[in-house]
Amino acid sequence: MKKFSKKFLKTLLVFIISTIVIYMTLTIIFLNERCKEYQFSLFSKKYYDLRNIDSEKIKELGDGIGNYAKLLEDSLDESYYQEDSNYHTIAEYFDPLGYSIWIFFQTEITSITHRYISISILIGASISVAYIVITSKKINNILKLIIGYLLPMIIVPPIYMYTWTNRFWDVLTTYKGIPAYFYIGYTAIFILMYLINYRIGRRMTKELNQAIKDK
C-alpha cells in the first residue's frame, strides 16, 4: 500500500508539473504572437517607436471596436441588461465605446488563457501514463513503446479535436488538425524519460552487482 501511494504521488506530481509547464509555455508563446499582431511587445521596446507601427493595423483595430460601439449607439443591438425585472439596452448603462473596448479585452484574454487548457491536460496525462509505463519493471520494452508512446499518439488527437469542435472527425482531419508540436514534443519527452529511466536502472543494477560481489 505504501509503495502504491508513493507511486501515485510521484505520478500526480509528474502530471501537475508537466501540465503547468506545457500550459505556461504554449500560452506565453501564443500571447507573444497576439501581442505582435496588435503591435505590442513582451520582450522588446520595438513598438515604443511609432515609426515601427503599421497604421493600417491600428485602423483595422479601431474600425472593429468603433463599428461595435456604433451598433450599440444606433440600434442598441439585441443585447440587454436586466434590472428590477425590466429590460434595458446595454448602451443605457454603459458608454458604448468603453463597453466595446472592455468586450474586446475580455474576449482576447479569455481566448489566450483558455486556448491551451485542454491540450495541456491531455499531454500531461499522456506523460503521466508514459511515466508509469516506463518506470514499471513488469512491462517489457515493446509494451512500453505501445502503451506509453503509440497509444497516446492514437488517442489524444480525437479527444483534442472533440474538445475544440464537440464532434469527431475523419482520420485525416483528426491527425492533421492537432498541432505538430504535440507529436514532436511528446516524442522528445518520451525518449528523454526512457533514457533517464534506463540510465537509473542500469546504475542501480551495477551498484547491486557490486554489492553482491563485495559480499
Side-chain angles (χ1 to χ4, degrees), residues 64-194:
I65 295 175
N67 288 337
Y68 184 71
K70 192 172 186 303
L71 281 174
L72 291 179
E73 289 177 330
D74 294 344
S75 65
L76 300 176
D77 202 20
E78 294 180 358
S79 302
Y80 59 83
Y81 179 82
Q82 185 176 2
E83 184 179 277
D84 301 327
S85 299
N86 295 316
Y87 293 100
H88 303 271
T89 58
I90 290 175
E92 288 182 63
Y93 289 88
F94 304 103
D95 171 69
L97 181 57
Y99 183 80
S100 300
I101 294 171
W102 180 78
I103 283 290
F104 170 79
F105 277 112
Q106 185 182 49
T107 303
E108 284 300 311
I109 291 171
T110 300
S111 173
I112 292 167
T113 55
H114 285 67
R115 185 179 182 86
Y116 292 109
I117 291 177
S118 297
I119 191 64
S120 298
I121 292 173
L122 286 172
I123 297 176
S126 299
I127 292 172
S128 301
V129 170
Y131 170 77
I132 294 171
V133 171
I134 288 173
T135 56
S136 175
K137 297 178 182 178
K138 298 179 181 180
I139 302 176
N140 62 48
N141 290 332
I142 295 177
L143 280 177
K144 286 181 179 181
L145 180 65
I146 293 173
I147 300 173
Y149 179 72
L150 295 179
L151 206 58
M153 287 288 193
I154 295 171
I155 293 176
V156 169
I159 298 175
Y160 174 73
M161 291 295 288
Y162 185 84
T163 61
W164 270 94
T165 62
N166 293 319
R167 58 163 289 190
F168 292 107
W169 296 81
D170 61 88
V171 175
L172 185 62
T173 303
T174 296
Y175 290 96
K176 285 184 68 176
I178 195 167
Y181 61 75
F182 166 72
Y183 301 106
I184 298 170
Y186 186 72
T187 300
I189 291 170
F190 182 86
I191 293 173
L192 182 63
M193 285 197 299
Y194 185 87

